[in-house]
């Protein structure tokens, strides 16, 4: 079995809101000083899901693919340290920028170039733009079935069984391979690589493919090919205007809150 | 400018879902004299056309087939494509639901166009559609213009207003969709996991607990406060940190990757107010925070707050609420 894990490097989503800044002139997030970019959380979970299946089967290979800048090597290395076998960085000027459409198109071209892929594992959404569509876009471009927001994935006799998270429960879906699945946090925390694995990952191969290597016309990828044009990025007002309850004791504060809520007709 | 809008409708227990009514209402404003169409698929669909016309639709594409009661993307994409071919929409609106999260991107890629997910507003200005949506875990919002047509948006519940009053007795055109077709995905099991009683999204009051409760037992006090407010009014929610620790069921998680709630009153207890949590509750009318850290982000979004240890604050608060006549 050959699996692909799609891994994106993003600004740390757990950056405290007070340190979150936007460059409104360029519609960009300003990296918070001292906070390094990270592997998008759900992509680590996608790697975990793929690794569990390979371990249970006792055979198989994982290729991790990232579309990004040079620094995205770190995200690839992290998945390699978890246990993936090979990495591919899709990187060149033509591929920069872009949207979900161009991302899916570029990743699909890489998966087609690999040729022998049985399943693709993505995160449920990249924790920067929170779109949640690249996995489904891949499925559509490759012509494969898919299931999203999984809490468990098993593969048996060429069929993928995905337990999906619904609003009011769970549903198990059977998909013929090859297929795409997107993973949610209900799957559990990804494994934490040991030092030895990190060192071994440093020696694993990371190939680098450009738009040309993928046979992609530069006008259809990156910024040039994007279909959603970002016009404005801004920080919304929270505007709570908080009134803190006074009181000598917790009892007094609590009583004040109850009275205030009654007077404001909130309770 | 007159625009044709297609809404992908959903049924809830056989009836037009409240979000579908919101989307059709929003569509009828956006259409500006153009046609509003809606798809209605699933058991009972043909009985819901009048509700859809009252909500603002001019035309309903119907397939009263229980196959659609469960989501299989091949079949839902098929139904949507038939409706697109017959209504030539400029814009397609889909709820950001279990259906929409999957159908939106599938449909966009199938039709070689683009979708913006989880939008909170859609406007038609200067001859182009623009959609605004939260991103960066709710820290930011982004406004996009669409370079391709039709523009597809999945839309957050409660972000569009239903027609008020509805067009009672309005009529429209009913078009039958053809068969559901094959599905590559097969649903082989289903398990319900949902709290009994009042549902989070329906409750006028939501009382939520977080990691600062320190132990699962802390939810006992949170539940007592909800009961004091009234079991017919208040539901209990949780932060993801508390769910991940196994202190409270994942079905009750509020936030970006949990449920989006818009109650009259949201009470956050021992929750720091991370952007991804606020993404699920910032639409609440009034937010109250109880947190021992005066610098906690939650106080920036709250209208009222108590700085203190929940263990000391909740017991007298529960009594005080019980004593409100
Ligand atoms: C991609 C992504 C998606 C996410 N989705 C969600 C989501 O859907 N929902 C969600 O909630 N989170 C989500 N998160 C996680 C989010 O970033 C936060 O980590 C999480 O919300 C923190 O939960 P918390 O506030 O309960 O815990 P903490 O941040 O640990 O806060 C605990 C709070 O309790 C207070 N406290 C401690 N002891 C007491 C006491 N005795 N009395 C009173 N107050 C006390 C502390 O001052 C602190 O403010 C997501 C994160 C990512 C990266
Ligand atoms: N630049 C990228 N490189 C690799 N994988 C990506 C990239 N962007 C998105 N993905 C994958 O697609 C998933 C969903 O992303 P999105 O649709 O952008 O929210 C992510 O969790 C990744 O698995």
């Amino acid at each position: 079995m050959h699996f692909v894990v799609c891994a994106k490097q993003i600004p740390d989503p757990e950056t405290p809101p007070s340190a979150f800044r936007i460059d409104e002139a360029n519609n960009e997030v300003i990296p918070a000083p001292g906070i390094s970019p990270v592997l998008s959380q759900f992509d680590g979970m996608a790697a975990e899901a793929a690794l569990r299946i390979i371990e249970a089967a006792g055979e198989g290979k994982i290729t991790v693919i990232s579309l990004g800048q040079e620094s995205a090597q770190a995200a690839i290395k992290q998945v390699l340290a978890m246990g993936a076998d090979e990495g591919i960085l899709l990187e060149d000027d033509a591929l920069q920028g872009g949207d979900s459409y161009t991302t899916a198109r570029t990743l699909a071209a890489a998966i087609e170039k690999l040729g022998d892929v049985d399943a693709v594992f993505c995160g449920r959404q990249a924790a920067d733009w929170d779109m949640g569509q690249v996995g489904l876009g891949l499925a559509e471009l490759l012509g494969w079935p898919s299931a999203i927001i999984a809490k468990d994935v098993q593969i048996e006799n060429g069929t993928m069984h995905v337990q999906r998270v619904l609003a009011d429960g769970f549903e198990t879906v059977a998909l013929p391979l090859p297929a795409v699945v997107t993973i949610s946090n209900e799957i559990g925390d990804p494994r934490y690589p040991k030092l030895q694995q990190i060192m071994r990952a440093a020696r694993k191969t990371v190939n680098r493919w450009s738009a040309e290597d993928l046979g992609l016309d530069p006008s259809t990828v990156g910024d040039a090919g994007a279909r959603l044009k970002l016009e404005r990025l801004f920080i919304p007002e929270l505007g709570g205007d908080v009134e803190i309850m006074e009181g000598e004791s917790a009892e007094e504060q609590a009583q004040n809150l109850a009275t205030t809520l009654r007077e404001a007709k909130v309770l | 400018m007159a625009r044709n809008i297609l809404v992908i409708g959903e049924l809830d227990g056989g009836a037009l879902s409240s979000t579908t009514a919101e989307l059709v209402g929003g569509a009828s404003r956006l259409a500006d004299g153009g046609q509003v169409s809606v798809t209605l698929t699933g058991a009972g669909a043909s009985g819901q056309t009048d509700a859809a016309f009252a909500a603002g639709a001019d035309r309903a594409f119907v397939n009263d087939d229980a196959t659609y009661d469960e989501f299989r993307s091949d079949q839902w994409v098929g139904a949507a494509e038939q409706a697109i071919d017959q209504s030539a929409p400029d814009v397609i609106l889909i709820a950001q639901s279990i259906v929409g999260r999957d159908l939106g991107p599938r449909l966009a890629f199938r039709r070689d166009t683009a979708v913006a997910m989880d939008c909170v507003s859609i406007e038609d200005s200067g001859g182009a559609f623009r959609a605004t949506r939260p991103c960066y875990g709710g820290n930011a919002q982004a406004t996009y213009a669409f370079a391709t047509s039709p523009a597809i948006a999945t839309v957050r519940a409660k972000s569009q207003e239903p027609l008020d009053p509805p067009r009672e007795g309005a009529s429209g055109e009913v078009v039958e969709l053809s068969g559901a077709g094959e599905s590559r995905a097969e649903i082989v099991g289903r398990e319900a996991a949902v709290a009994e009683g009042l549902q989070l999204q329906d409750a006028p009051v939501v009382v939520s607990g977080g990691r600062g409760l320190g132990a699962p037992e802390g939810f006992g006090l949170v539940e007592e406060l909800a009961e004091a407010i009234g079991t017919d009014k208040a539901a209990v929610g949780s932060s993801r940190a508390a769910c991940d620790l196994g202190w409270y069921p994942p079905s009750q998680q509020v936030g970006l990757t949990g449920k989006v709630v818009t109650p009259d009153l949201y009470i956050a207890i021992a929750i720091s107010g991370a952007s991804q949590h606020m993404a699920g509750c910032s639409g609440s009318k009034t937010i109250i925070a109880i947190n021992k850290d005066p610098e906690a982000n939650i106080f920036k979004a709250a209208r009222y707050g108590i700085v203190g240890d929940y263990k000391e604050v909740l017991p007298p608060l529960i009594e005080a609420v019980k004593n409100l006549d």
Side-chain angles (χ1 to χ4, degrees):
Chain A
M1 275 183 303
H2 184 187
F3 296 159
V4 161
V5 171
C6 295
K8 185 178 189 189
Q9 188 185 52
I10 61 166
D12 190 341
E14 302 203 68
T15 302
S18 56
F20 184 83
R21 299 270 188 285
I22 281 173
D23 170 356
E24 293 204 5
N26 293 305
N27 286 336
E28 275 172 7
V29 171
I30 302 172
I35 302 181
S36 305
V38 296
L39 170 67
S40 185
Q41 274 201 338
F42 303 112
D43 301 355
M45 294 161 182
E48 178 64 37
L51 281 162
R52 285 183 198 168
I53 295 170
I54 296 233
E55 281 163 356
E59 59 91 24
K61 171 180 164 183
I62 297 179
T63 302
V64 48
I65 308 183
S66 188
L67 164 64
Q69 302 182 350
E70 184 58 38
S71 65
Q73 288 261 12
I76 293 177
K77 290 284 180 188
Q78 188 171 336
V79 179
L80 290 175
M82 286 176 71
D85 302 279
E86 274 181 28
I88 303 170
L89 177 63
L90 308 177
E91 196 266 341
D92 84 28
D93 286 349
L95 297 175
Q96 299 305 323
D99 63 354
S100 309
Y101 170 76
T102 57
T103 301
R105 197 175 146 81
T106 309
L107 290 170
I111 292 161
E112 275 172 341
K113 188 172 156 87
L114 285 171
D116 61 349
V117 177
D118 298 293
V120 175
F121 293 74
C122 289
R124 61 173 288 170
Q125 64 203 57
D128 50 0
W129 295 103
D130 297 321
M131 270 292 186
Q133 51 169 299
V134 165
L136 289 155
L138 285 175
E140 202 52 47
L141 293 169
L142 295 166
W144 297 358
S146 59
I148 62 168
I149 316 188
K151 85 181 273 257
D152 186 63
V153 188
Q154 311 275 341
I155 291 182
E156 239 171 82
N157 305 325
T159 301
M160 182 188 266
H161 286 263
V162 180
Q163 199 180 13
R164 306 207 305 129
V165 182
L166 307 179
D168 56 357
F170 307 102
E171 183 176 81
T172 307
V173 185
L175 307 171
L177 293 182
V180 179
V181 63
T182 81
I183 307 293
S184 189
N185 51 289
E186 285 83 355
I187 200 145
D189 284 337
R191 64 196 62 195
Y192 201 78
K194 297 194 188 66
L195 185 61
Q196 204 188 8
Q197 292 174 298
I198 295 172
M199 285 162 58
R200 217 179 301 140
R203 292 194 298 270
K204 289 182 185 170
T205 322
V206 178
N207 289 307
R208 189 183 292 261
W209 292 350
S210 64
E212 197 185 340
D213 294 330
L214 295 169
L216 291 169
D217 174 347
S219 70
T220 63
V221 291
D223 230 8
R227 294 169 168 198
L228 283 182
K229 304 289 182 191
L230 179 62
E231 291 194 331
R232 183 166 174 239
L233 185 64
F234 59 100
I235 297 180
E237 290 287 327
L238 286 176
D241 216 1
V242 70
E243 195 177 315
I244 299 288
M245 296 299 122
E246 306 287 341
E248 293 294 317
S249 61
E251 284 76 15
E252 262 184 59
Q253 292 172 321
Q255 186 57 55
N256 271 343
L257 179 60
T259 313
T260 307
L261 294 181
R262 176 45 54 97
E263 280 166 4
K265 299 197 172 65
V266 175
L267 260 191
Chain B
M1 193 165 127
R3 305 283 201 174
N4 291 336
I5 320 272
L6 173 65
V7 174
I8 305 298
E10 289 182 53
L11 303 182
D12 184 1
L16 193 76
S17 81
S18 55
T19 313
T20 302
E22 293 162 20
L23 295 193
V24 172
S28 66
R29 283 179 285 268
L30 204 56
D32 193 17
Q35 267 222 324
V36 176
S37 303
V38 59
T39 60
L40 297 172
T41 53
S46 46
Q48 296 302 310
T49 51
D50 284 348
F53 299 144
D58 305 304
R59 178 162 48 180
F61 291 97
V62 179
N63 194 344
D64 196 325
D65 179 346
T67 308
Y68 291 101
D69 292 355
E70 286 167 321
F71 177 77
R72 293 175 198 80
S73 65
D74 290 335
Q75 292 165 334
W76 278 77
V77 170
E81 286 208 274
Q82 289 182 50
I84 294 171
D85 290 340
Q86 294 177 60
S87 66
D90 301 298
V91 180
I92 303 171
L93 302 181
I94 312 175
Q96 173 78 359
S97 59
I98 291 293
V99 168
R101 284 171 196 273
D102 199 311
L103 179 63
R106 276 267 179 193
L107 197 57
F109 280 84
R110 181 76 56 93
R111 303 298 288 205
D112 204 21
T113 181
V115 59
M117 304 296 290
D118 200 17
C119 300
V120 293
S121 91
I122 294 136
E123 47 181 316
D124 182 2
S125 56
F129 291 104
R130 292 187 169 75
T132 299
R133 55 181 299 277
C135 54
Y136 283 89
N139 274 318
Q141 291 199 356
T143 302
Y144 295 94
F146 291 83
T148 50
S149 179
I152 307 183
T154 65
V155 181
R156 187 173 281 202
K158 308 258 166 66
S159 63
Q160 302 287 319
E161 296 284 333
L163 283 195
D164 185 24
R167 303 187 306 182
E168 288 309 342
S171 60
E173 185 192 352
V174 178
V175 183
E176 295 287 332
L177 293 172
S178 64
E182 298 293 311
S183 168
R184 289 169 292 179
E186 189 190 342
I187 296 168
V188 294
R190 185 181 262 269
E191 188 188 320
V194 69
E196 283 177 27
L198 189 61
Q199 298 302 299
L200 261 187
Q201 295 100 307
D202 304 332
V205 180
V206 173
V207 189
S208 288
R211 176 153 55 194
L213 294 174
E217 292 71 39
F219 273 99
L221 279 174
V222 175
E223 286 176 346
E224 263 184 61
L225 177 58
E227 277 161 31
I229 292 167
T231 45
D232 56 335
K233 270 176 83 178
V236 175
S238 163
S239 74
R240 178 168 131 196
C243 291
D244 284 354
L245 286 162
W247 297 355
Y248 222 62
S251 62
Q252 303 310 104
Q253 181 185 316
V254 171
L256 180 67
T257 49
K259 298 207 159 102
V260 175
V261 298
T262 49
D264 295 330
L265 178 59
Y266 188 80
I267 308 181
I269 302 164
I271 290 176
S272 60
S275 57
Q276 294 92 353
H277 185 78
M278 301 319 294
C281 65
S282 59
S284 309
K285 240 183 235 142
T286 303
I287 296 178
I288 296 179
I290 299 172
N291 196 302
K292 69 175 187 190
D293 174 9
E295 300 298 318
N297 194 58
I298 188 76
F299 287 118
K300 299 207 172 67
R303 176 68 187 88
Y304 305 105
I306 291 183
V307 177
D309 186 334
Y310 83 91
K311 287 195 199 106
E312 289 166 22
V313 173
L314 285 194
L317 182 61
I318 291 163
E319 283 313 306
V321 168
K322 280 186 189 157
N323 292 334
L324 289 175
D325 50 321

